Amino acid sequence: MKSYDMSSLARDHGFAGKVRISERVMNDCMYVAEHVVSEHGVTPIERFQLLLQNVARQLSGYPAGTQAVRLTHHRIPPSGNPHQPLALEIEALVVQGDRQHGDYLLLARHDELNHALLTAA
């Protein structure tokens, strides 16, 4: 599964350590209809920052050492696609010993993470 290192931006929103975001979560934040941006005044990067803030707030409620959590993030503002639900299910998973990236927190859509695990098996 392709992911992006967003550690420096994530630190600005309460994360410590490495944070990687899956490509589909990144795309979900970045692809938004132009009329939504003009109506709500929220750019795609601001949608991404809202995601990071929301995930950091939700993760802070779990005890230290938690390895995996499923979270619900509400897309505010919505993307502009009337068929896309507001709720986005996200898995926050601690990955340890990755040969390429080391240890990090991965944020991925729950359906892509399950698919990636099945593909790897």
Side-chain angles (χ1 to χ4, degrees):
M1 166 184 3
K2 189 171 184 177
S3 64
Y4 302 96
D5 184 355
M6 301 304 288
S7 302
S8 61
L9 184 58
R11 270 191 291 281
D12 295 341
H13 298 287
F15 288 90
K18 290 183 183 177
V19 176
R20 297 190 67 83
I21 307 294
S22 74
E23 184 173 39
R24 285 188 62 202
V25 171
M26 178 70 76
N27 290 344
D28 190 86
C29 291
M30 294 298 150
Y31 296 128
V32 60
E34 189 175 323
H35 75 275
V36 172
V37 173
S38 63
E39 285 176 23
H40 298 280
V42 177
T43 65
I45 192 67
E46 289 169 327
R47 286 182 85 217
F48 182 67
Q49 291 171 331
L50 290 170
L51 169 81
L52 289 174
Q53 291 169 3
N54 186 311
V55 169
R57 183 185 51 74
Q58 290 186 58
L59 287 176
S60 70
Y62 289 90
T66 300
Q67 296 294 303
V69 175
R70 181 175 287 181
L71 309 166
T72 301
H73 170 68
H74 292 92
R75 297 172 174 103
I76 304 297
S79 67
N81 178 348
H83 304 292
Q84 186 180 55
L86 282 179
L88 173 64
E89 296 293 320
I90 294 187
E91 297 272 348
L93 175 70
V94 174
V95 176
Q96 296 176 321
D98 183 307
R99 287 186 222 154
Q100 186 175 5
H101 304 294
D103 299 344
Y104 59 91
L105 176 68
L106 174 65
L107 301 179
R109 290 175 58 130
H110 77 94
D111 56 343
E112 75 178 317
L113 188 60
N114 293 334
H115 178 69
L117 292 175
L118 288 173
T119 303

